[in-house]
Amino acid sequence: KSTDDWSVTSKDIWINVTPKYGDAGDGLVTIAVDENNSESEKRIGFVSIISNDKEEVISIEQGKKTIIKPKTTLINADTEGDEIVLDIQSNVEYTTTVDVDAKDWVSCSSCPAGQRIIVLPNRQNFERTGEIYLSYGRDTTIVTINQDKANIQNYSTEYYVSGNGGNISVTSKANAHFEVSIKESDKEWICQLPNTRSQVSFTSEFKIIKNTSLVSRLGEIYFIYGDVIDTVFVHQNPKPVVDLDNKQLMFNEEGGNGEVTITHNTDYSIQLDNNVSWLTYSKRKISDNVDKLIVSVSSNPNITSRQALLNVSYDGEYTAINIEQKQKKDIIPSVSSVEAK
């Protein structure tokens, strides 16, 4: 407010005033200052308001340029958790704030280099992002933290084992140290063996116990990290069975054909025990699990009986069919008594 005309001026080039002149009465002067690019020194400038022979001097102090420079503003944290020392160059006493959505898994504290950031393991089935705010007055620098979800990938999730059991190897690629768990009801026949690990993959060994039942079974193995689960299924065939309805065939001297019904749930082979020329056999499929074995025997020209064995083999076991043929009957002529005269 002035009773005379007035003028405003500043000798500091970083201070800008508008308007520079005004009439008597109430007036409004706007003072704007340029950015201070000095990172080490504050600066002081002056604005003079002159009216008639009077001068009013206003002192303006501007702080040095705020520097909050982290070495990086993007951190990719390990899935299993991380501790990062973030180097920060600063010329002010800044404050550190973790975004509210990340406070349950990110924390930070001051250290000589800048900030020590603790990231908890990500046990959820999605990746997550959090932010840390480094603030001084109206200046804020944002540090973003990305954390990938756990990824467990088994190269195969279906394994097939014979009824006799055996070992399976499950190779997995993962970015976290997962746990392996066998379904409780399957632990009596699936056993985990010691694991091996390379830089990029794991190999888990499992022993599958022989199936002594006549039905197939399905087992489940879980590869777990937090909420992330990858399931491997183990299919095991039932106990190998080859059942013969008859294990002995009897033939008379004329020979002929005999039949044996074979019920099975596994592959089998038939082999004649001795190289005999008087016996042949063939197999006819009745259904997927039933075959008919036809044994043909030629007539026996000998006065002694004869025998042969057909061996039915499967899964390291065998059973035998005994084949026996009676001898040729010996014809003895009858002798009549003749009375001499």
Side-chain angles (χ1 to χ4, degrees):
K1 184 175 182 178
S2 175
T3 56
D4 295 299
D5 295 342
W6 51 268
S7 65
V8 181
T9 185
S10 176
K11 295 180 180 180
D12 300 289
I13 61 174
W14 53 276
I15 298 177
N16 303 289
V17 293
T18 55
K20 296 183 182 294
Y21 306 95
D23 299 329
D26 294 335
L28 179 64
V29 176
T30 301
I31 301 174
V33 296
D34 296 336
E35 180 181 2
N36 185 0
N37 292 317
S38 173
E39 299 177 1
S40 58
E41 295 181 355
K42 64 182 179 179
R43 57 187 178 184
I44 299 176
F46 303 94
V47 174
S48 297
I49 303 175
I50 302 171
S51 177
N52 205 351
D53 293 332
K54 294 181 180 180
E55 181 180 9
E56 186 80 26
V57 178
I58 300 174
S59 174
I60 298 174
E61 181 177 321
Q62 185 182 29
K64 57 190 174 183
K65 181 179 181 179
T66 300
I67 297 299
I68 307 175
K69 288 183 178 180
K71 186 175 181 179
T72 180
T73 57
L74 179 62
I75 296 173
N76 292 313
D78 192 280
T79 300
E80 293 189 274
D82 225 333
E83 180 176 343
I84 304 107
V85 174
L86 180 62
D87 292 336
I88 300 175
Q89 179 186 354
S90 177
N91 60 358
V92 293
E93 294 291 332
Y94 59 85
T95 60
T96 304
T97 307
V98 178
D99 181 66
V100 64
D101 293 331
K103 280 188 174 181
D104 59 343
W105 59 279
V106 176
S107 62
C108 55
S109 59
S110 297
C111 68
Q115 291 289 317
R116 176 175 282 103
I117 301 171
I118 304 296
V119 181
L120 298 182
N122 185 1
R123 298 184 177 276
Q124 299 170 320
N125 197 19
F126 55 85
E127 68 177 55
R128 55 190 180 183
T129 299
E131 294 181 336
I132 299 174
Y133 306 121
L134 310 175
S135 303
Y136 179 79
R138 293 181 297 177
D139 296 320
T140 299
T141 300
I142 300 175
V143 177
T144 301
I145 299 175
N146 292 328
Q147 189 177 34
D148 198 7
K149 68 177 182 179
N151 182 27
I152 305 172
Q153 180 184 1
N154 289 305
Y155 292 124
S156 177
T157 57
E158 301 282 344
Y159 291 82
Y160 295 86
V161 184
S162 75
N164 285 326
N167 290 0
I168 62 172
S169 298
V170 181
T171 301
S172 312
K173 182 179 181 181
N175 61 356
H177 289 81
F178 54 81
E179 298 177 359
V180 178
S181 176
I182 300 169
K183 188 177 180 181
E184 194 64 35
S185 59
D186 300 329
K187 288 183 177 180
E188 61 182 13
W189 62 279
I190 301 178
C191 307
Q192 185 180 7
L193 302 175
N195 291 354
T196 60
R197 180 185 182 184
S198 67
Q199 291 182 345
V200 295
S201 65
F202 300 80
T203 298
S204 301
E205 297 280 345
F206 300 90
K207 181 179 181 180
I208 312 301
I209 306 301
K210 182 176 181 179
N211 189 355
T212 57
S213 72
L214 298 180
V215 295
S216 60
R217 55 190 178 185
L218 174 64
E220 296 180 10
I221 304 172
Y222 308 120
F223 294 75
I224 305 169
Y225 184 82
D227 295 339
V228 180
I229 301 176
D230 196 54
T231 303
V232 166
F233 299 95
V234 181
H235 306 262
Q236 188 178 31
N237 293 329
K239 174 185 177 181
V241 172
V242 176
D243 183 61
L244 312 179
D245 72 337
N246 189 3
K247 295 182 180 180
Q248 179 139 0
L249 295 178
M250 299 292 297
F251 294 88
N252 58 28
E253 63 177 295
E254 288 84 7
N257 294 329
E259 294 184 348
V260 177
T261 300
I262 302 177
T263 304
H264 62 93
N265 63 2
T266 187
D267 294 333
Y268 64 91
S269 62
I270 301 174
Q271 186 175 8
L272 188 59
D273 187 39
N274 295 312
N275 188 19
V276 296
S277 59
W278 53 271
L279 184 153
T280 60
Y281 62 90
S282 61
K283 187 173 66 173
R284 179 164 53 90
K285 182 177 180 179
I286 305 300
S287 65
D288 288 342
N289 301 105
V290 179
D291 297 325
K292 185 75 72 175
L293 176 66
I294 302 170
V295 178
S296 300
V297 174
S298 62
S299 62
N300 187 356
N302 304 316
I303 60 174
T304 58
S305 63
R306 53 188 181 185
Q307 292 181 324
L309 290 177
L310 278 175
N311 292 320
V312 181
S313 304
Y314 62 97
D315 288 297
E317 300 184 22
Y318 75 94
T319 186
I321 302 172
N322 184 43
I323 300 168
E324 184 174 347
Q325 186 180 27
K326 293 181 179 180
Q327 72 274 19
K328 177 183 178 181
K329 292 179 181 180
D330 188 15
I331 302 175
I332 302 175
S334 61
V335 179
S336 301
S337 297
V338 178
E339 185 176 343
K341 291 184 180 180

